[in-house]
Amino acid sequence: MSNIIVNPKNYTGHELETIFFRPLLTGPSAESLGIRILYNMPMPTVVQVWDRKGNVLTPYDESSSWSGGVKTTHYQKTIPMARVKAENAFSASDYFSTVFEMITNRPDINMEDLTGTDLEVAETELFRRSIAESIRMNLWLGDKGGTLNTGYNSFDGLLKIVNERVKNNSLFYNRTDLDDFLSEYHVTEAFSQIIAESNPRLKGLFPEGQCAFFVSPNIYSIYENYLDTAFGAAAYSDNQYGRKNLMYHGFPVIEINLEPAISESSLSSSFIIFTDRRNLVMAVNTADNPASEVRMWYNPDEMENRQRAVFAIGCEILDDELVSAVINQA
């Protein structure tokens, strides 16, 4: 068996969506981001938001005409999209070893009869994982201007957006002194304070089960250490097997681990962001750009395997008033 993979693969159009990007943007990969994802919405990507205030019920009177009450308020939010490309290059031998290892780890593979399909699936999965992690890091650390030294400059990410809007005081509740905040309040008291000070409109969304805390690893660790001080059978089980997901009063506490890049940037590595998951939106588009593709090929001149994906992506906070944030200002 040759230790070089030379067959080119090229996904465009419908294959680009069904084989490569849709599996990437649904299921566990999407759930790990914890936010709302829009895929292949028409560009420019505009999110329609409807907000009804008041009571829709009125007394019935057969002689009266239309009395529909207060007109529904309509908001629009355009998500800024940036055209990006993802590229990987491996030496031919390293690439073959990596892909081959992914194949051998599958229980359904007959090593005596490796087909081109098996290799293609493994290659696609290898590249998909790389893109998924880069999307996650760019989603939070993106800095298109490059002034924050995050190393991710394809599009502006959520932490930059939050920092700018905290600076402009456009979020409903925000503080720029997280360290002082935690010296004043225990972490559970801090969570309670953020919940209590959040917008009444956000509180009205609590029963829908989509509100969550997005926190940095140090905040997550403080809360986890607090839980470790509890006693009883549940605490014993947690100490033995760990905790898959943390909650506070029914709200998920989601750890956003951005190390080591965030420690090397100008952004603070400590933050607490409380909002409805659907208020944080990432949009990906592969349909409205004719150049969108995923290509994998072997370059004999450099003796290396290369991978490239071209697509459009961007993120946005839909409603600043539905966000409560406590950070150390960048």
Side-chain angles (χ1 to χ4, degrees):
M1 178 185 296
S2 171
N3 64 347
I4 298 177
I5 300 175
V6 298
N7 293 333
K9 292 90 183 171
N10 187 30
Y11 302 136
T12 58
H14 184 65
E15 283 188 344
L16 181 63
E17 175 180 348
T18 58
I19 296 178
F20 199 88
F21 272 98
R22 191 162 293 282
L24 172 67
L25 299 171
T26 57
S29 295
E31 290 174 4
S32 67
L33 295 176
I35 69 169
R36 180 180 177 185
I37 297 176
L38 304 177
Y39 180 53
N40 275 353
M41 293 280 287
M43 292 180 64
T45 302
V46 179
V47 181
Q48 311 293 334
V49 182
W50 301 90
D51 184 20
R52 167 171 284 282
K53 298 180 181 179
N55 183 15
V56 298
L57 298 181
T58 58
Y60 180 75
D61 184 350
E62 292 183 356
S63 62
S64 67
S65 59
W66 170 259
S67 56
V70 181
K71 184 179 179 180
T72 300
T73 306
H74 178 214
Y75 305 96
Q76 286 188 338
K77 193 80 170 188
T78 300
I79 301 177
M81 302 288 286
R83 186 181 176 194
V84 300
K85 64 177 181 178
E87 295 180 328
N88 261 344
F90 304 82
S91 72
S93 58
D94 291 343
Y95 187 70
F96 177 84
S97 298
T98 303
V99 173
F100 193 75
E101 180 182 357
M102 294 179 68
I103 293 174
T104 58
N105 287 337
R106 288 172 49 189
D108 58 332
I109 289 296
N110 179 5
M111 297 306 297
E112 302 299 324
D113 183 27
L114 282 178
T115 66
T117 301
D118 297 327
L119 291 174
E120 183 174 347
V121 169
E123 284 187 88
T124 301
E125 181 60 24
L126 175 65
F127 196 23
R128 190 185 289 134
R129 289 178 185 177
S130 299
I131 292 178
E133 179 59 13
S134 292
I135 285 177
R136 187 186 74 86
M137 295 294 283
N138 273 281
L139 171 67
W140 290 97
L141 290 180
D143 171 30
K144 196 169 185 178
T147 58
L148 298 176
N149 301 315
T150 64
Y152 297 89
N153 57 6
S154 297
F155 59 95
D156 285 340
L158 293 173
L159 282 183
K160 180 178 181 179
I161 294 172
V162 167
N163 268 275
E164 289 177 345
R165 295 180 185 177
V166 165
K167 190 180 300 184
N168 297 331
N169 201 34
S170 62
L171 302 183
F172 184 80
Y173 176 78
N174 51 251
R175 292 181 57 161
T176 60
D177 57 345
L178 180 56
D179 291 338
D180 292 340
F181 189 63
L182 291 178
S183 66
E184 181 181 354
Y185 299 103
H186 184 270
V187 65
T188 56
E189 296 172 333
F191 287 163
S192 294
Q193 177 75 4
I194 292 171
I195 294 171
E197 296 293 335
S198 61
N199 192 313
R201 288 174 51 222
L202 181 61
K203 293 177 181 178
L205 297 175
F206 287 178
E208 297 183 20
Q210 295 295 325
C211 295
F213 288 96
F214 297 87
V215 303
S216 54
N218 62 323
I219 303 300
Y220 193 89
S221 179
I222 291 172
Y223 183 47
E224 193 166 39
N225 290 337
Y226 161 77
L227 296 176
D228 286 340
T229 62
F231 298 94
Y236 176 81
S237 177
D238 288 344
N239 287 330
Q240 292 291 312
Y241 306 109
R243 304 178 181 91
K244 185 177 181 181
N245 299 301
L246 296 189
M247 306 280 286
Y248 179 73
H249 287 184
F251 299 107
V253 179
I254 302 170
E255 180 183 20
I256 308 299
N257 191 342
L258 304 171
E259 298 293 353
I262 193 169
S263 294
E264 300 167 357
S265 74
S266 301
L267 285 169
S268 170
S269 57
S270 299
F271 55 86
I272 303 174
I273 300 170
F274 181 63
T275 188
D276 190 295
R277 294 173 185 262
R278 297 164 296 188
N279 194 36
L280 307 179
V281 178
M282 181 184 74
V284 177
N285 190 288
T286 61
D288 292 346
N289 187 344
S292 294
E293 66 170 355
V294 170
R295 183 185 299 272
M296 293 175 277
W297 74 99
Y298 174 68
N299 185 312
D301 295 333
E302 301 294 336
M303 297 184 66
E304 66 181 15
N305 287 86
R306 295 177 175 179
Q307 302 171 321
R308 175 186 292 142
V310 179
F311 56 99
I313 189 170
C315 67
E316 183 59 282
I317 297 174
L318 296 183
D319 190 338
D320 292 350
E321 290 196 350
L322 298 184
V323 180
S324 297
V326 183
I327 61 175
N328 288 321
Q329 183 67 63

